Each structure stands twice: as structure tokens, then as C-alpha cells.
Amino acid sequence: MKKWYRKLHWQIIIGLILGLVWGLVANLVGLNEFTTDYIKPIGTIFIKLLVLIAVPLVLVSLVTGVTSLNDTAQLSRMGGKTVAIYAITTVLAISIGLATVNIMKPGKSLPVETREQLQATYSESLEGRDEAAMEVMDRGPLDFFVDIVPENFFSAASDNSNMLQVVFVAILLGIGIIQIGGKKAETLTNFFDAFNDVIIRIVELIMLTAPYGVFALMASLLIDLAGDDLGKALELLYALGWYCLAVLIGLTIHVFVVYTTLFKATSNMKLSTFFRAIQPAMLLGFSTSSSAATLPVTMERVEKNLGVEDEVASFVLPIGATVNMDGTSLYQAVAAVFIAQALGMDLTLVQQLTIVVTATAASIGAAGVPGAGIIMLVIVLESVQVPTAGIALILGVDRILDMFRTMVNITGDAAVSVAVASSEGLLGDAHLDD
């Protein structure tokens, strides 16, 4: 039995805690510049390595999965289940967020002077967000499907926000290999099988640096958030504490009610086993605030430790990294009502139902990268006639909440992959080897 400190999730937790401690000490003793110049680059390199391997991992593993299925009917059935489950959990997440914010009413407790101060401080950060939101709103109803088909695969592969295009090409390539059959198909299948093993090994090598990467990310994050005035940052967190608590309570309910129900209804795996298996992916999602950057680790943990066959994991997880934004959607619901409450506006039932519909639609195209939720929030606020300038009220704590909601998104991706695999008879035994 391995000693506890040799297990990956404990190493990541230790790195996370030490990073927070370093960030606090650096802020107090004046090591901010040193941290930015010599520690932050380590975290940046770690994220770049994860992003670098994400596209090849999705492409190769999905081609391998499709060719092993040898059944396009099963592939389309699996796709239907995946999209349906993601849509249902998104609607439930938004509903939980609305219920939480209406019960707690965090906007009512925000003092007028604090509201004015926040708007004055963060109003400049909103520049450009309205224009970006308008571009999304002006899109046609089928533009989402048009965007899935790339004009140039290499261009699509150069941007991780185009992951659905990579998935489309991989599925098309896999189907093509199935269709030609014979020795040529066998040769290509063996090539992608071997390539897949190489990619998995590279992911394992990258994960050896995870504790150091997380340490650097957390240390630099604290410096970036606090700047030169840690006290001011803590005052801001205190002022918006009730709002932050509402978001965190909603996220917790979603994980332990919606995901747990889905998980227990579709598999016999112990819930503790599930969370222990994906803990490293959850912690990395928390540290990076990016579903796309964490995707290689999520796929490895789901396949290797949860027993989900690669044809399911390589299909469900990349789609989830782009489409499944439950945590972000819940946050948008809480934020929209919080801003309305703080501005003295009472949203009607019809307006709140509009939030459900708009936030669900907006979450479909949200890229799995930090900050994308703000643009989607502009769309939600516009739909219920709440001034978008009110977003300035929450920008100060958005980065912190982004970490938590990304962790929820990743947990949802893993839970849905288990559910789909179980329904298809492609769920093996879980293995907690580290």
C-alpha cells in the first residue's frame, strides 16, 4: 500500500495549500514581483502542457473508440443520450440557482455605498463584453450546428475552444475507417491504438508535475486577486460574502442531489469511489478554472479509474467540456437575480422562467475557458431587461467563483460519462490505484 503522501490527489492538495500560503506570505513581505516573475511561469507551462495534449488526446481516443464500436447506430444512440442528459442537468442547475437566490436574497443585504463603490471600481472591466454578447445574440438558430463543421481541421485543432469540431472530424474519420474495412482499416486502427497509448503515457508524465503546477497557479492567483492590497481584497470578499455563499450552496446542492441521483440511478458504483477517482481532475479544474485544460486528466481518470470504456469517455467528455456548463449556468441564475435585487428590481415569475430558457441556450456554446461565463451573463441580463452595468457588482469575486463552478462542470462530465457507459454496457470495474 502506497504511503498517503505519494498519492496524486494528496500531492495536489498539498501543492494547493502551500500555494495559498505562499501567496499570502508573498503579499505580506513584498514578494509579489518575485512570485509573478519566477513562480507564475511554472503554472503557465503546466496549463500549456495540458492544453497541448488535449486535441491529440480527443482525436486519437475518439477515432479508436469509434472503430472499436463498429456500429454507427450505437454511436448515434450514445450521442442522443449524452446531449439529453446534459440539457436536463443544465435546466436543473439553473432552477436550483434561482431557488437558492430567491430564498437567501443576497442582493437585498448589499449596502448602497458598497454597490456604488463596486460599480465605480469595475465598470471599466466591462468594456467589450456587450459587443461580444451582441455577436452571440445575433447568431442564427442553427449557427451552433454550422460551427461544429470546420472548414480547416488544422485551424480547428489550433484552438481548444473548437473542441466540438475536433470531435466531428474524429467521428467522421472513425466512420470512414469502418467503411473501408479490410487490411487498410486494420492498419489504421492499429496505428491509432498505438498512438493512443503514447498520448496516455504523455498525460501521465505531465501529471507528475501537477503538484508543482498547482502550487504555482494558486500562489500567482492570490497575488493577481489581492494585488498590493490584501486587506482591500478581503473587504470585497466580505461585502459580497452572502452572494458568494448563495452560489456555493447552489453548486453543492447540484452536485450532491442532481449528480448523485443520476449516478446512483445508472450504476452500482459507490459514490465515495466515484469522488476519490476523479478528485485529481476536480482539484485541477479548481486550480485552472478551465474545463478544456483539465480535459486530458478528466479523460484519464474516467477511463483508468472509473472503468468507463474509451469509446464513451472520448465521446462524452469533450462534448461535456464545451456544452456542459451546469456550474456556470447556476452561477448566471444567481448572479442575474442578485444584480436585480441589488438594483432594487423585482423579477417576475415570467422573467425568471426567461432566465432558465436563456441561460440554457447560452450555456450550449460557452467555451470551457476562464471568463466565458461573463459574456453569457450579459445575454441573460439583456433577456430580462436588467442593466448589464450591474455586472460590475460581481466582477471582483468572479475569478474565485469560477474555480468552484469549473470543478462542478468537471464533476458533471464524469458523472454523465458513467451514466452513458452504464446504459450502453460499457462500464467496467473502478480501480483506485493512486
Side-chain angles (χ1 to χ4, degrees), residues 119-354:
Q119 287 182 308
T121 302
Y122 294 100
S123 57
E124 292 184 2
S125 301
L126 290 174
E127 293 181 4
R129 305 294 176 92
D130 287 343
E131 290 81 359
M134 287 303 297
E135 290 180 7
V136 176
M137 294 172 69
D138 289 340
R139 289 160 57 86
L142 297 181
D143 280 357
F144 171 75
F145 299 100
V146 172
D147 290 342
I148 292 177
V149 183
E151 294 181 352
N152 185 315
F153 170 71
F154 295 101
S155 176
S158 67
D159 186 352
N160 281 44
S161 65
N162 293 328
M163 194 63 74
L164 286 182
Q165 294 184 348
V166 177
V167 171
F168 176 83
V169 171
I171 293 174
L172 199 61
L173 185 57
I175 292 174
I177 293 174
I178 292 173
Q179 293 294 316
I180 64 172
K183 192 171 182 62
K184 291 182 179 179
E186 184 180 350
T187 300
L188 286 171
T189 300
N190 290 336
F191 167 77
F192 279 106
D193 281 339
F195 199 2
N196 189 50
D197 291 340
V198 172
I199 297 295
I200 293 299
R201 181 55 183 158
I202 292 174
V203 172
E204 291 173 350
L205 292 174
I206 293 173
M207 286 308 296
L208 294 176
T209 68
Y212 309 101
V214 169
F215 167 81
L217 288 170
M218 297 309 298
S220 58
L221 172 67
L222 207 57
I223 297 298
D224 292 341
L225 289 176
D228 295 324
D229 192 344
L230 180 61
K232 185 177 180 180
L234 294 175
E235 287 177 9
L236 173 64
L237 190 60
Y238 176 78
L240 295 174
W242 202 236
Y243 159 70
C244 294
L245 185 61
V247 174
L248 295 178
I249 288 176
L251 294 175
T252 302
I253 292 173
H254 189 64
V255 169
F256 289 102
V257 174
V258 176
Y259 291 154
T260 299
T261 302
L262 172 66
F263 185 81
K264 298 303 292 184
T266 55
S267 75
N268 296 321
M269 191 184 303
K270 291 183 179 179
L271 194 61
S272 59
T273 300
F274 171 77
F275 282 110
R276 286 172 60 195
I278 66 166
Q279 196 172 50
M282 294 173 65
L283 291 170
L284 278 179
F286 180 82
S287 304
T288 64
S289 295
S290 173
S291 300
T294 313
L295 182 58
V297 182
T298 309
M299 290 181 66
E300 187 211 18
R301 302 300 298 190
V302 166
E303 293 178 14
K304 181 180 176 182
N305 296 87
L306 288 180
V308 175
E309 294 294 332
D310 58 357
E311 56 261 43
V312 177
S314 57
F315 179 80
V316 174
L317 294 176
I319 293 176
T322 305
V323 173
N324 178 38
M325 295 290 163
D326 288 359
T328 303
S329 299
L330 188 150
Y331 139 83
Q332 288 170 351
V334 175
V337 178
F338 167 78
I339 292 169
Q341 291 172 350
L343 297 178
M345 302 172 63
D346 292 321
L347 298 181
T348 65
L349 177 61
V350 173
Q351 286 177 307
Q352 299 208 29
L353 289 175
T354 301

Side-chain angles (χ1 to χ4, degrees), residues 1-14:
M1 183 177 178
K2 292 184 178 180
K3 294 181 179 180
W4 68 270
Y5 56 82
R6 293 182 179 176
K7 296 182 178 180
L8 179 61
H9 62 273
W10 281 114
Q11 292 178 349
I12 293 176
I13 290 173
I14 291 171

